[in-house]
Amino acid sequence: MIWKRKIYLSLTGLFMLMASYGQQNNWTLEECINYAWQNNLTVRSSELNKLNSEISLKESKFALLPSLSGGGNLSKSFGRTIDPVTNGFISTSFVSSGVSASSSVTLFNGGALRNTIKRNELNLDASEFDLQKAKNDIGVTVATNFLNVLLGREQLKNAKFQLESSQAQLERTKKLVNAGSLPMTNQLDLESQVATNEVSVVNAENNLRAATLNLKQAMQMPADEPLEVEAPEVSVDNMGFISQSPNEIYNIAMGVQPEIQSAELGVKSSELGVDLAKSAFLPSLSLSGSISTNHSGRARQLIGTQQVTVPAQNIGFVDGTNQSVFSNPSQQTVPVYSESYGVLNQYDDNLGQSVSIRLNVPIFSRYSNSANLQRAQITKQRAEITSMNTRNQLRQSIESAYNSALAALNTYNATLKRVAALEESFRATEQRYNVGDVNNLDYQIASNNLFSARADLIRNKYEYIFRTKILDFYLGNPLTLQ
């Protein structure tokens, strides 16, 4: 029993270790985007739209096949009614039944069936592009919030570094004050600076917490679930700048962005809608056929004939003598019926078939066909406007993203130089402050300037990374920080 308990405890510890290891795994940007795709309601709605388009396409293809329907009935009649076999009135109860089947197929209807299939194929392709567009939108939103988390983490690290630097300087100042080398006001000023830096750390923690919550909401993840993102090593120097011009990026994006493809398919679908409306003005030709049979409990099967002797009968009297007059005996042929007539035998004997061909020529539709054609033409014009508007929006987005990326790069380079200069200035100021050549106010100004410049550098770095990744996304590349 002891060894069983040891095995149980060992397995339990192993499972707990594996579970804790799984919980401690950091989320990459790709994992966050995939999680959002699986849980986002807009994406799921787009998937249902695609499924609905698949059903519509299958339905339109099956419309080329003949239709087939069948039916049957079973009834019991009472009192005076019509015998379904003899069509004569009878006054008795009986059971009857019937079965039937019919089929029809459209031979020609102005190409409406074929055009419907083509249009549904275009709609299915468009729904696939709409699904990709929904995923892209969610991916950009998640990527934006992901980078905000990384930015918040870097800003928190910078705020903590500033706090630690102020605390270390405060400890050195306390020693100098106790030694009488510096006045007490220097210590008080640094204590105020430390308190200010502590507030900056708290604000940075709040900003990081808010950025993490925004990322969870973008992913449709509950707020109480743990989420630690993985911060890849991203260097601005290694990224470089997009070599293509905005116009070159736009030309590439025209062939890879799903909203453009969907808009173009919308125009083609609307053109087929016009052809469908025109087909209503053309004649249509259809072929149909049917088969039916029935049975009645009153029916009897004719099995032959027989000769019957009709005896002499009194047919009248002789006037005056009242002497009876009789007819001569005769032989007559009468039909002979069976005692029963089976249902299957009746179905076979009563079987009826029909084939018909129908031609329908539209002559006057009370303006309905003309109105439908005009609506289809308006729908086509709207689709063309939507396509042009989508192209314009894409061009404007690319131009704005390009200018923003260029501005972010220039700002980052300028801020990088500013940080380097302020670091040298702060180092010199700190050395002079330690020997008493610089007052506390100048030291705090130098420290705050360096802290502010580093915060701007971090912000500008992630701004440039985001803008560059957006341009890369327009070129058809997946959203990634690798």
Side-chain angles (χ1 to χ4, degrees):
M1 294 300 294
I2 297 177
W3 64 270
K4 290 184 178 180
R5 180 177 179 84
K6 290 182 177 180
I7 294 177
Y8 173 77
L9 293 176
S10 299
L11 291 175
T12 302
L14 178 61
F15 289 144
M16 292 179 64
L17 179 61
M18 294 175 60
S20 63
Y21 176 77
Q23 292 177 356
Q24 292 173 0
N25 282 343
N26 293 336
W27 289 62
T28 63
L29 175 59
E30 293 79 3
E31 291 172 342
C32 292
I33 292 177
N34 289 331
Y35 184 93
W37 285 348
Q38 296 173 3
N39 296 275
N40 186 270
L41 298 181
T42 301
V43 173
R44 292 170 62 183
S45 178
S46 298
E47 291 174 345
L48 292 178
N49 290 338
K50 178 185 175 183
L51 179 60
N52 188 59
S53 298
E54 292 176 350
I55 295 173
S56 298
L57 176 58
K58 183 180 294 186
E59 180 185 22
S60 61
K61 289 182 177 180
F62 274 86
L64 295 174
L65 303 178
S67 65
L68 179 63
S69 61
N73 65 82
L74 177 64
S75 62
K76 182 175 179 62
S77 301
F78 304 90
R80 183 174 176 81
T81 185
I82 297 178
D83 190 324
V85 177
T86 64
N87 286 325
F89 284 100
I90 56 177
S91 296
T92 185
S93 62
F94 64 96
V95 176
S96 63
S97 67
V99 292
S100 63
S102 63
S103 177
S104 65
V105 61
T106 300
L107 302 178
F108 176 77
N109 64 343
L113 293 178
R114 295 292 181 182
N115 287 332
T116 300
I117 293 176
K118 294 178 181 179
R119 186 174 66 171
N120 287 336
E121 289 175 342
L122 294 177
N123 292 339
L124 176 59
D125 293 337
S127 65
E128 174 63 30
F129 287 121
D130 291 338
L131 175 59
Q132 294 180 14
K133 176 62 167 57
K135 289 185 174 181
N136 287 345
D137 292 342
I138 298 302
V140 171
T141 302
V142 171
T144 303
N145 289 280
F146 189 93
L147 289 174
N148 287 337
V149 172
L150 298 183
L151 172 61
R153 184 183 295 177
E154 291 292 329
Q155 289 179 335
L156 176 60
K157 185 187 300 183
N158 186 37
K160 288 182 177 180
F161 175 80
Q162 182 70 11
L163 175 60
E164 292 172 358
S165 177
S166 298
Q167 290 174 340
Q169 187 62 36
L170 176 60
E171 293 301 323
R172 290 193 296 268
T173 302
K174 285 182 178 180
K175 294 179 181 179
L176 293 175
V177 170
N178 293 333
S181 301
L182 292 176
M184 188 64 184
T185 55
N186 286 15
Q187 177 180 339
L188 296 177
D189 290 339
L190 277 175
E191 288 177 350
S192 174
Q193 181 66 31
V194 169
T196 301
N197 294 148
E198 290 175 345
V199 173
S200 298
V201 170
V202 172
N203 291 334
E205 290 174 343
N206 293 335
N207 293 335
L208 177 58
R209 191 178 301 108
T212 303
L213 177 60
N214 291 335
L215 176 59
K216 289 181 179 180
Q217 292 177 345
M219 296 169 56
Q220 301 294 321
M221 175 183 286
D224 56 353
E225 289 191 13
L227 176 63
E228 291 292 335
V229 301
E230 180 178 340
E233 293 295 333
V234 182
S235 175
V236 174
D237 298 332
N238 296 333
M239 290 183 61
F241 195 73
I242 300 297
S243 60
Q244 292 90 344
S245 65
N247 188 57
E248 292 173 338
I249 297 175
Y250 171 74
N251 291 332
I252 296 175
M254 285 286 293
V256 297
Q257 291 302 310
E259 62 267 31
I260 300 297
Q261 307 298 324
S262 177
E264 291 178 351
L265 291 177
V267 174
K268 295 180 180 179
S269 177
S270 63
E271 292 174 350
L272 289 174
V274 174
D275 295 337
L276 285 172
K278 291 180 179 178
S279 64
F281 293 91
L282 301 177
S284 62
L285 186 65
S286 61
L287 177 67
S288 62
S290 65
I291 182 172
S292 63
T293 185
N294 56 39
H295 109 281
S296 172
R298 290 280 302 170
R300 292 294 181 267
Q301 186 177 19
L302 179 65
I303 59 177
T305 60
Q306 65 178 8
Q307 295 292 325
V308 178
T309 300
V310 179
Q313 297 181 2
N314 188 347
I315 59 174
F317 299 93
V318 177
D319 292 340
T321 63
N322 289 330
Q323 184 179 356
S324 298
V325 179
F326 295 90
S327 63
N328 295 325
S330 62
Q331 296 287 329
Q332 293 185 1
T333 301
V334 297
V336 178
Y337 295 94
S338 63
E339 293 296 327
S340 62
Y341 196 176
V343 174
L344 296 180
N345 292 332
Q346 290 191 51
Y347 280 167
D348 185 52
D349 294 340
N350 297 333
L351 188 65
Q353 304 93 10
S354 68
V355 177
S356 63
I357 187 169
R358 179 183 179 185
L359 175 65
N360 181 37
V361 180
I363 299 176
F364 178 66
S365 64
R366 295 175 295 182
Y367 193 68
S368 175
N369 292 339
S370 298
N372 291 334
L373 177 58
Q374 294 176 18
R375 294 190 187 98
Q377 292 171 341
I378 293 174
T379 301
K380 176 186 174 182
Q381 295 175 4
R382 287 179 175 174
E384 292 172 346
I385 293 174
T386 299
S387 179
M388 291 186 293
N389 187 46
T390 303
R391 293 168 182 263
N392 292 336
Q393 289 179 351
L394 178 62
R395 177 184 291 275
Q396 293 172 3
S397 298
I398 291 175
E399 292 172 347
S400 299
Y402 187 90
N403 290 334
S404 298
L406 183 60
L409 178 60
N410 294 333
T411 303
Y412 172 80
N413 290 330
T415 308
L416 188 63
K417 295 179 181 179
R418 179 169 177 258
V419 169
L422 289 175
E423 285 177 347
E424 291 296 328
S425 176
F426 176 74
R427 187 178 298 108
T429 302
E430 186 177 30
Q431 291 175 353
R432 295 176 61 189
Y433 176 80
N434 291 333
V435 298
D437 290 342
V438 174
N439 58 35
N440 185 67
L441 178 61
D442 292 336
Y443 173 81
Q444 289 185 8
I445 291 175
S447 177
N448 291 336
N449 288 339
L450 179 58
F451 172 76
S452 177
R454 285 175 173 172
D456 291 339
L457 182 63
I458 294 172
R459 187 180 303 105
N460 295 332
K461 170 187 174 182
Y462 282 99
E463 175 71 14
Y464 173 70
I465 292 173
F466 174 73
R467 297 301 176 183
T468 304
K469 291 301 179 180
I470 290 298
L471 289 176
D472 199 43
F473 165 75
Y474 284 131
L475 293 174
N477 298 318
L479 288 169
T480 179
L481 295 178
Q482 301 298 327

